[in-house]
Amino acid sequence: MPTIRVFDREGKLHVLDAPVGWSVMEVIREAGLPIEAACGGCCACATCHVYVDPEWLDKLEPPHADETLMLDEAFQVQDNSRLSCQIKVTPELDGLTVTLAPEF
Amino acid sequence: MPFSSGSMDLRTAMNGQAISTDLVIIGAGPVGLFAVFEAGLLGLRCHLVDNLDKIGGQCAELYPDKPIYDIPAVPRCTGQELIDRLLEQIRPFEPTFHLREQAERLERLDNGRWRVTTSAGTVFEAPAVAIAAGAGSFVPRRLPLPEAEQFEGRSLFYAVRRSEAFYGHRIVVAGGGDSALDWVLALQPHAASIALVHRRDEFRAAPSSVERMRRLAAEGALRLIIGQIVGLEGRDGELEAVRIKTQDGKEERVACDRLLAFYGLKMELGPIAHWGLDLDKGQIKVDTEAFETNLPGVFAIGDICTYPGKLKLILSGFHEAALMCQKAFRYCRPNERLIFRYTTSSTDLQKKLGVI
């Protein structure tokens, strides 16, 4: 099974088993890390905001227009900002590294 | 809107008199709405309170246009369609909605009834209360800067109560949606200066508003700044400037004395947390016979309640509403017998529904 690497807001690294087909948000939420994901993964809020390690950015499918719109409601958005509910785990993403964006 | 606005009830409340009803429902999402239906079949009258300015909860606020596929016998509908259908279904029972009001206090009266007081000062007295508040009430998302708090309510606002209060000021508006654009356009003629800050040069607001904003920006009547707010400056609650990180990574200081920030809404449990309810991770513990909380006569249904096996599905909330009403009936009509009947065959129920 692929694993993803998640830095929490204190900078601690968590290496999580990531079933193929799950969203990165689901992997983070099921691991009990603090991610709000208020809308449950339908790209209707911006509370699963993560920063993707720049090395991995090009390996992801580019964001859908919906996701870019929702990111307008997030704060401290950077070029590597994504909504983790919109990133599907694939075997190629083994080792994907993300950081939880600040909570607000 | 086929429902009474509640203004008459509000007048009653302002005269110091409580609205007496059978069931107060906190939350006008799908589950709160279906509770009106189940209560109505039992002859119970309902008042609903919701902090949003519209009926429908998350379905209407978060995903009105997104499809739902797991409502029994409705293979596909959007969030808004589900709400519209529920409104049609409960119309015979004439519920009263109290929108833009947050349920603030819950108190037990000596006669065993419950008193609910809202942020607008509306007071209800009822034998039963159903909390159908989903993930909590929708409140504006605050500016997540440590220094924001000292300015909130004085020079930093997340909503406009009285637009005149902004006249003559140097205003910065943040956001890219309709609220941000509508207020920029409405305040621009009256402001000493006005700037719109948004993180990218695309806006999700109505295209006609965006076009008007761009025209004003081209004329120099407003400043459009592409960037994000990273700091606030001022003292004693009075803003003097906002610091904005622009797209090229530079920081710019924009002098202003009023900041209006529109970063959408978030959900939070709010005052419910202090009502003495048994909570488990922000959800209200209930039994699965009647979805009653630890407070007798106070029920919790839908996403806000928790019990072993709970699934946060709309259909689970519908089931919870139906069972809750059976027990609520006993609080509301202690001397009456409740007979179980089907809408298919009962002329009594069909009369209540207004179909015969």
Side-chain angles (χ1 to χ4, degrees), chain B residues 4-14 16-27 45-51 95-109 111-130 275:
Chain B
S4 53
S5 68
S7 57
M8 202 152 88
D9 293 321
L10 202 60
R11 240 183 353 255
T12 318
M14 282 160 88
Q17 230 187 331
I19 298 164
S20 183
T21 190
D22 291 317
L23 183 60
V24 176
I25 300 172
I26 297 167
R45 171 113 174 84
C46 299
H47 281 254
L48 297 96
V49 181
D50 200 296
N51 205 27
T96 308
F97 290 92
H98 304 263
L99 301 176
R100 296 183 213 215
E101 293 187 44
Q102 188 178 43
E104 255 178 15
R105 286 205 308 278
L106 175 74
E107 297 153 288
R108 183 117 209 225
L109 302 174
N111 59 12
R113 287 159 66 95
W114 291 97
R115 176 186 285 154
V116 178
T117 309
T118 75
S119 52
T122 312
V123 180
F124 305 95
E125 286 182 15
V129 175
W275 289 355

Coordinates of all heavy atoms in Angstrom, one line a residue, chain B residues 4-14 16-27 45-51 95-109 111-130 275:
Chain B
S4 N -45.1 32.3 6.8 CA -45.1 33.5 7.5 C -43.7 33.9 7.9 O -42.9 33.0 8.3 CB -46.0 33.5 8.7 OG -45.7 32.4 9.5
S5 N -43.4 35.1 7.9 CA -42.0 35.5 8.1 C -41.6 35.5 9.6 O -40.4 35.5 9.9 CB -41.8 36.9 7.6 OG -42.5 37.8 8.5
G6 N -42.6 35.4 10.4 CA -42.3 35.4 11.9 C -42.3 36.8 12.5 O -42.0 36.9 13.6
S7 N -42.6 37.8 11.6 CA -42.5 39.2 12.2 C -43.5 39.4 13.3 O -43.3 40.1 14.2 CB -42.7 40.2 11.1 OG -43.9 40.0 10.4
M8 N -44.7 38.7 13.1 CA -45.7 38.9 14.1 C -45.3 38.3 15.5 O -45.4 38.9 16.5 CB -47.0 38.3 13.7 CG -48.2 38.9 14.4 SD -49.7 38.8 13.4 CE -50.3 37.2 13.9
D9 N -44.6 37.1 15.3 CA -44.1 36.5 16.5 C -43.1 37.3 17.2 O -43.0 37.4 18.4 CB -43.5 35.1 16.2 CG -44.6 34.2 15.7 OD1 -45.7 34.2 16.3 OD2 -44.4 33.4 14.8
L10 N -42.3 37.9 16.3 CA -41.2 38.7 16.9 C -41.7 39.9 17.6 O -41.2 40.3 18.7 CB -40.3 39.3 15.7 CG -38.9 39.7 16.0 CD1 -38.2 38.5 16.6 CD2 -38.2 40.2 14.8
R11 N -42.8 40.5 17.1 CA -43.4 41.6 17.8 C -43.9 41.1 19.2 O -43.7 41.8 20.2 CB -44.6 42.1 17.0 CG -44.4 43.6 16.7 CD -45.5 44.3 15.9 NE -46.6 43.5 15.4 CZ -46.8 43.2 14.2 NH1 -45.9 43.5 13.3 NH2 -47.9 42.6 13.8
T12 N -44.5 40.0 19.2 CA -45.0 39.4 20.5 C -43.8 39.3 21.4 O -43.9 39.6 22.6 CB -45.6 38.0 20.2 OG1 -46.4 38.0 19.1 CG2 -46.4 37.6 21.4
A13 N -42.7 38.8 20.9 CA -41.5 38.5 21.7 C -41.0 39.9 22.3 O -40.6 40.0 23.4 CB -40.5 37.9 20.9
M14 N -41.1 40.9 21.4 CA -40.5 42.2 21.9 C -41.4 42.8 23.0 O -41.0 43.6 23.8 CB -40.4 43.1 20.7 CG -39.1 42.8 19.9 SD -39.2 43.4 18.2 CE -38.5 45.0 18.5
G16 N -42.3 41.2 25.3 CA -41.9 40.5 26.5 C -42.7 39.2 26.6 O -42.5 38.5 27.6
Q17 N -43.4 38.8 25.6 CA -44.2 37.6 25.7 C -43.5 36.5 24.9 O -43.1 36.7 23.8 CB -45.6 37.8 25.2 CG -46.7 37.3 26.1 CD -48.0 37.4 25.5 OE1 -48.3 38.3 24.6 NE2 -48.9 36.5 25.9
A18 N -43.5 35.3 25.5 CA -42.9 34.2 24.8 C -43.8 33.6 23.8 O -45.0 33.7 24.0 CB -42.4 33.2 25.8
I19 N -43.3 33.1 22.7 CA -44.1 32.3 21.7 C -44.3 30.9 22.3 O -43.3 30.2 22.6 CB -43.4 32.2 20.4 CG1 -43.1 33.6 19.8 CG2 -44.1 31.4 19.4 CD1 -42.1 33.7 18.7
S20 N -45.5 30.5 22.5 CA -45.8 29.2 23.0 C -46.1 28.3 21.8 O -46.9 28.6 21.0 CB -47.0 29.3 23.9 OG -47.2 28.0 24.5
T21 N -45.4 27.2 21.8 CA -45.6 26.2 20.7 C -45.3 24.8 21.2 O -45.0 24.6 22.4 CB -44.7 26.6 19.5 OG1 -45.0 25.8 18.4 CG2 -43.2 26.3 19.8
D22 N -45.5 23.8 20.3 CA -45.3 22.4 20.8 C -43.8 22.1 20.7 O -43.2 21.6 21.7 CB -46.1 21.5 19.9 CG -47.6 21.6 20.1 OD1 -48.0 21.7 21.3 OD2 -48.3 21.6 19.1
L23 N -43.2 22.3 19.5 CA -41.9 21.8 19.3 C -41.0 23.0 18.7 O -41.4 23.6 17.7 CB -41.9 20.7 18.3 CG -40.6 19.9 18.0 CD1 -39.9 19.3 19.2 CD2 -40.8 18.9 16.9
V24 N -39.9 23.3 19.4 CA -39.0 24.3 18.8 C -37.9 23.4 18.1 O -37.3 22.6 18.8 CB -38.4 25.2 19.9 CG1 -37.3 26.1 19.3 CG2 -39.4 26.0 20.6
I25 N -37.6 23.7 16.9 CA -36.6 23.0 16.1 C -35.4 23.9 15.9 O -35.6 25.0 15.3 CB -37.2 22.4 14.8 CG1 -38.3 21.4 15.1 CG2 -36.1 21.7 14.0 CD1 -39.1 21.0 13.9
I26 N -34.3 23.5 16.3 CA -33.1 24.4 16.1 C -32.3 23.8 14.9 O -31.8 22.7 15.0 CB -32.2 24.4 17.4 CG1 -33.1 25.0 18.5 CG2 -30.9 25.1 17.2 CD1 -32.5 24.8 19.9
G27 N -32.4 24.6 13.8 CA -31.8 24.1 12.6 C -32.8 23.8 11.5 O -33.7 23.0 11.7
R45 N -47.3 21.6 16.5 CA -47.0 22.8 15.8 C -45.5 23.1 16.0 O -45.0 22.9 17.1 CB -47.9 23.9 16.3 CG -47.6 25.3 15.9 CD -48.7 25.9 15.0 NE -48.4 27.3 14.8 CZ -47.5 27.7 13.8 NH1 -47.0 26.8 13.0 NH2 -47.3 29.0 13.7
C46 N -44.8 23.6 15.0 CA -43.4 23.8 15.1 C -42.9 25.2 14.7 O -43.5 25.8 13.8 CB -42.6 22.9 14.1 SG -42.9 21.1 14.4
H47 N -41.9 25.7 15.4 CA -41.2 26.9 15.1 C -39.7 26.4 14.9 O -39.2 25.6 15.6 CB -41.2 27.9 16.2 CG -42.5 28.7 16.3 ND1 -42.6 30.0 15.9 CD2 -43.7 28.3 16.6 CE1 -43.8 30.4 16.0 NE2 -44.6 29.4 16.5
L48 N -39.1 27.0 13.8 CA -37.7 26.6 13.5 C -36.8 27.9 13.6 O -37.2 29.0 13.2 CB -37.6 26.1 12.1 CG -38.3 24.8 11.8 CD1 -39.6 25.0 11.2 CD2 -37.5 23.8 10.9
V49 N -35.6 27.7 14.2 CA -34.7 28.8 14.3 C -33.4 28.4 13.5 O -32.9 27.2 13.6 CB -34.2 28.9 15.8 CG1 -33.2 30.0 16.0 CG2 -35.5 29.1 16.7
D50 N -32.9 29.3 12.7 CA -31.6 29.0 12.0 C -30.8 30.3 11.8 O -31.4 31.4 11.5 CB -31.9 28.4 10.6 CG -30.7 27.7 10.1 OD1 -29.7 28.3 9.8 OD2 -30.8 26.4 9.9
N51 N -29.5 30.2 12.0 CA -28.7 31.3 11.9 C -28.4 31.8 10.5 O -28.0 32.9 10.3 CB -27.3 31.0 12.6 CG -26.6 32.2 13.1 OD1 -27.2 33.2 13.4 ND2 -25.3 32.2 13.2
P95 N -45.2 25.7 9.3 CA -44.2 26.0 10.3 C -43.8 27.5 10.2 O -44.0 28.1 9.2 CB -43.0 25.1 9.9 CG -43.2 25.0 8.4 CD -44.6 25.0 8.1
T96 N -43.3 28.0 11.3 CA -42.8 29.4 11.3 C -41.3 29.3 11.4 O -40.7 28.6 12.2 CB -43.4 30.2 12.5 OG1 -44.8 30.0 12.5 CG2 -43.0 31.7 12.3
F97 N -40.7 30.1 10.5 CA -39.2 30.1 10.4 C -38.7 31.4 11.0 O -39.2 32.5 10.8 CB -38.7 30.0 9.0 CG -38.9 28.7 8.4 CD1 -40.1 28.4 7.7 CD2 -37.9 27.7 8.5 CE1 -40.3 27.1 7.1 CE2 -38.1 26.4 8.0 CZ -39.3 26.2 7.3
H98 N -37.6 31.3 11.8 CA -37.0 32.4 12.4 C -35.5 32.4 11.9 O -34.7 31.7 12.5 CB -37.0 32.4 13.9 CG -38.4 32.3 14.4 ND1 -39.2 33.4 14.9 CD2 -39.3 31.2 14.6 CE1 -40.4 33.0 15.2 NE2 -40.5 31.7 15.1
L99 N -35.3 33.0 10.8 CA -34.0 33.0 10.2 C -33.1 34.1 10.7 O -33.6 35.1 11.2 CB -34.1 33.0 8.6 CG -35.0 31.9 8.0 CD1 -35.1 32.1 6.5 CD2 -34.4 30.5 8.3
R100 N -31.8 33.9 10.4 CA -30.8 34.9 11.0 C -30.8 35.0 12.5 O -30.6 36.1 13.0 CB -30.9 36.3 10.3 CG -30.7 36.3 8.9 CD -30.8 37.7 8.4 NE -31.4 37.8 7.1 CZ -31.1 38.7 6.2 NH1 -30.2 39.6 6.5 NH2 -31.6 38.6 5.0
E101 N -31.3 34.0 13.1 CA -31.3 34.0 14.6 C -30.6 32.7 15.1 O -30.8 31.7 14.6 CB -32.7 34.0 15.1 CG -33.5 35.3 14.8 CD -34.9 35.4 15.4 OE1 -35.0 35.0 16.6 OE2 -35.8 35.7 14.7
Q102 N -29.8 32.9 16.1 CA -29.1 31.8 16.6 C -29.7 31.5 18.0 O -29.9 32.4 18.8 CB -27.6 32.1 16.8 CG -26.7 30.9 17.2 CD -25.3 31.3 17.4 OE1 -24.9 32.3 17.9 NE2 -24.4 30.4 16.9
A103 N -30.0 30.2 18.2 CA -30.5 29.8 19.5 C -29.4 30.0 20.5 O -28.4 29.3 20.4 CB -31.0 28.3 19.5
E104 N -29.6 30.8 21.5 CA -28.6 31.2 22.4 C -28.7 30.5 23.8 O -27.7 30.0 24.3 CB -28.5 32.7 22.6 CG -27.4 33.4 21.9 CD -27.4 34.9 22.1 OE1 -28.1 35.4 23.0 OE2 -26.7 35.5 21.3
R105 N -29.9 30.5 24.3 CA -30.1 29.9 25.7 C -31.2 28.9 25.7 O -32.2 29.0 25.0 CB -30.4 31.1 26.6 CG -29.2 32.0 27.0 CD -29.4 32.6 28.3 NE -30.7 33.3 28.5 CZ -30.9 34.6 28.0 NH1 -30.0 35.2 27.4 NH2 -32.1 35.1 28.2
L106 N -31.0 27.9 26.6 CA -32.0 26.9 26.8 C -32.1 26.8 28.3 O -31.2 26.5 29.0 CB -31.5 25.5 26.2 CG -32.5 24.4 26.5 CD1 -33.7 24.4 25.7 CD2 -31.7 23.0 26.2
E107 N -33.4 27.0 28.8 CA -33.6 27.0 30.2 C -34.8 26.1 30.5 O -35.8 26.2 29.8 CB -33.8 28.4 30.8 CG -32.7 29.3 30.6 CD -33.2 30.8 30.5 OE1 -33.7 31.2 29.5 OE2 -33.0 31.5 31.5
R108 N -34.8 25.4 31.6 CA -35.9 24.6 32.1 C -36.8 25.5 33.0 O -36.3 26.1 33.9 CB -35.4 23.4 32.8 CG -36.5 22.5 33.3 CD -36.3 21.1 32.6 NE -37.6 20.5 32.5 CZ -37.8 19.2 32.8 NH1 -36.8 18.5 33.2 NH2 -39.0 18.7 32.6
L109 N -38.0 25.5 32.7 CA -39.0 26.3 33.5 C -39.5 25.4 34.6 O -39.5 24.2 34.6 CB -40.1 26.9 32.7 CG -39.7 27.7 31.5 CD1 -40.8 28.1 30.6 CD2 -39.0 29.0 32.0
N111 N -42.5 24.7 35.3 CA -43.6 23.9 34.9 C -43.1 22.7 34.0 O -43.9 22.0 33.4 CB -44.7 24.7 34.2 CG -44.1 25.4 33.0 OD1 -43.0 25.2 32.5 ND2 -44.9 26.4 32.4
G112 N -41.8 22.6 33.9 CA -41.3 21.5 33.1 C -41.1 21.8 31.6 O -40.5 21.0 30.9
R113 N -41.6 22.9 31.2 CA -41.4 23.3 29.8 C -40.0 23.9 29.6 O -39.3 24.2 30.5 CB -42.5 24.3 29.4 CG -43.9 23.7 29.2 CD -45.0 24.7 29.3 NE -45.0 25.7 28.2 CZ -45.7 25.6 27.1 NH1 -46.5 24.5 26.9 NH2 -45.6 26.5 26.1
W114 N -39.6 24.1 28.3 CA -38.3 24.6 28.0 C -38.5 26.0 27.4 O -39.4 26.3 26.7 CB -37.6 23.7 27.0 CG -37.2 22.4 27.6 CD1 -37.9 21.2 27.5 CD2 -36.0 22.2 28.4 NE1 -37.2 20.2 28.2 CE2 -36.1 20.8 28.8 CE3 -35.0 23.0 28.9 CZ2 -35.1 20.2 29.6 CZ3 -34.0 22.4 29.7 CH2 -34.1 21.0 30.0
R115 N -37.5 26.9 27.8 CA -37.5 28.2 27.2 C -36.3 28.3 26.3 O -35.2 28.1 26.8 CB -37.5 29.3 28.3 CG -37.4 30.7 27.7 CD -37.2 31.7 28.8 NE -38.5 32.0 29.4 CZ -38.6 32.5 30.6 NH1 -37.6 32.7 31.4 NH2 -39.8 32.7 31.2
V116 N -36.5 28.7 25.1 CA -35.3 28.9 24.2 C -35.3 30.4 23.8 O -36.3 31.0 23.4 CB -35.5 28.1 22.9 CG1 -34.4 28.4 21.9 CG2 -35.6 26.6 23.2
T117 N -34.1 31.0 24.0 CA -34.0 32.4 23.6 C -33.0 32.6 22.5 O -31.9 31.9 22.5 CB -33.5 33.2 24.9 OG1 -34.3 32.9 26.0 CG2 -33.5 34.7 24.6
T118 N -33.3 33.4 21.5 CA -32.4 33.5 20.3 C -31.6 34.8 20.4 O -31.9 35.7 21.3 CB -33.2 33.6 19.0 OG1 -33.8 34.9 18.9 CG2 -34.3 32.5 18.9
S119 N -30.6 34.9 19.5 CA -29.8 36.1 19.5 C -30.5 37.3 19.2 O -30.1 38.4 19.5 CB -28.7 35.8 18.4 OG -29.3 35.5 17.2
A120 N -31.7 37.2 18.6 CA -32.5 38.4 18.2 C -33.5 38.7 19.4 O -34.3 39.6 19.2 CB -33.3 38.1 16.9
G121 N -33.5 37.9 20.4 CA -34.3 38.2 21.6 C -35.7 37.5 21.5 O -36.5 37.7 22.3
T122 N -35.9 36.7 20.5 CA -37.1 35.9 20.4 C -37.1 34.8 21.5 O -36.1 34.2 21.7 CB -37.3 35.2 19.0 OG1 -37.0 36.2 18.0 CG2 -38.7 34.6 18.8
V123 N -38.2 34.7 22.1 CA -38.3 33.7 23.2 C -39.4 32.7 22.9 O -40.5 33.1 22.5 CB -38.6 34.4 24.6 CG1 -38.7 33.4 25.7 CG2 -37.6 35.5 24.9
F124 N -39.1 31.4 23.0 CA -40.1 30.4 22.8 C -40.3 29.6 24.1 O -39.3 29.4 24.9 CB -39.6 29.3 21.8 CG -39.2 29.9 20.5 CD1 -37.9 30.3 20.2 CD2 -40.2 30.2 19.5 CE1 -37.6 30.8 19.0 CE2 -39.9 30.7 18.3 CZ -38.5 31.0 18.0
E125 N -41.5 29.1 24.4 CA -41.7 28.2 25.4 C -42.4 27.0 24.9 O -43.4 27.1 24.2 CB -42.5 28.8 26.6 CG -41.7 29.8 27.4 CD -42.4 30.4 28.5 OE1 -43.5 29.9 28.9 OE2 -41.9 31.4 29.1
A126 N -41.8 25.8 25.1 CA -42.4 24.6 24.5 C -42.1 23.4 25.4 O -41.1 23.4 26.1 CB -41.8 24.4 23.1
P127 N -42.9 22.4 25.3 CA -42.7 21.1 26.1 C -41.5 20.3 25.5 O -40.9 19.5 26.2 CB -43.9 20.3 26.0 CG -44.9 21.2 25.3 CD -44.2 22.3 24.6
A128 N -41.2 20.6 24.2 CA -40.1 19.8 23.6 C -39.3 20.6 22.7 O -39.8 21.6 22.0 CB -40.8 18.6 22.8
V129 N -38.0 20.3 22.6 CA -37.0 21.0 21.8 C -36.3 19.9 21.0 O -35.8 18.9 21.5 CB -36.0 21.8 22.6 CG1 -35.0 22.5 21.7 CG2 -36.8 22.9 23.4
A130 N -36.2 20.2 19.7 CA -35.4 19.2 18.8 C -34.2 20.0 18.3 O -34.3 21.0 17.6 CB -36.2 18.7 17.7
W275 N -25.1 24.2 27.1 CA -26.5 23.9 27.6 C -26.6 22.8 28.6 O -27.7 22.4 28.9 CB -27.4 23.7 26.4 CG -27.7 24.9 25.6 CD1 -27.3 26.2 25.9 CD2 -28.4 25.0 24.4 NE1 -27.7 27.1 24.9 CE2 -28.4 26.4 24.0 CE3 -29.1 24.1 23.6 CZ2 -29.1 26.8 22.8 CZ3 -29.8 24.5 22.4 CH2 -29.7 25.9 22.1

